[in-house]
Amino acid sequence: MDTKNMRPQFEERYPVPEGVAWNSDSQRYVLTHLKICTVSQYEKHVERWMCWRASREAVVVQMPDRTSEAYCEEFDDVEGGSFNEAAYIRDVRKVIEAQGLKVVA
């Protein structure tokens, strides 16, 4: 999972304590200044980050198959039929909400 998208949301909710920084090489938070941030504060932040990542990685949504016959409408004047986008969007919304997630329009 790409942490580039998760981290800004996490840091908005849980600001990075002074004395802690993100190390892009190791892809983790590091304690940079022990006099500003205690080990306990650092560990608390890292634990929150681990929980945040785990909660995001646990969410998996299986999208409906766009090529399914359910989304193909046949018309007499259209060769090959057409894609029913409204039905597909409705079903996408259903599978997302089935995961207990809120969908906003």
Side-chain angles (χ1 to χ4, degrees):
M1 181 167 281
D2 184 10
T3 59
K4 291 178 190 170
N5 296 328
M6 273 192 287
R7 240 176 13 93
Q9 294 173 345
F10 170 75
E11 291 177 358
E12 184 178 320
R13 176 69 176 92
Y14 301 104
V16 179
E18 287 188 60
V20 175
W22 179 257
N23 182 307
S24 35
D25 292 334
S26 64
Q27 293 291 299
R28 65 184 190 92
Y29 288 100
V30 293
L31 184 58
T32 58
H33 202 289
L34 193 54
K35 290 185 179 183
I36 296 175
C37 182
T38 66
V39 172
S40 175
Q41 290 171 317
Y42 165 72
E43 288 176 342
K44 184 176 182 179
H45 189 72
V46 170
E47 185 176 336
R48 283 179 175 161
W49 171 239
M50 291 170 51
C51 292
W52 183 276
R53 283 186 54 195
S55 72
R56 298 316 188 261
E57 290 170 354
V59 176
V60 177
V61 178
Q62 180 65 45
M63 302 299 281
D65 180 7
R66 288 181 61 98
T67 62
S68 169
E69 297 258 341
Y71 307 116
C72 184
E73 292 184 342
E74 298 292 332
F75 299 100
D76 293 334
D77 59 341
V78 178
E79 186 177 325
S82 67
F83 178 70
N84 186 338
E85 186 174 11
Y88 182 75
I89 290 171
R90 180 195 65 234
D91 289 350
V92 166
R93 183 182 192 112
K94 283 180 186 177
V95 297
I96 292 171
E97 289 174 341
Q99 292 291 324
L101 302 171
K102 182 168 75 171
V103 177
V104 293

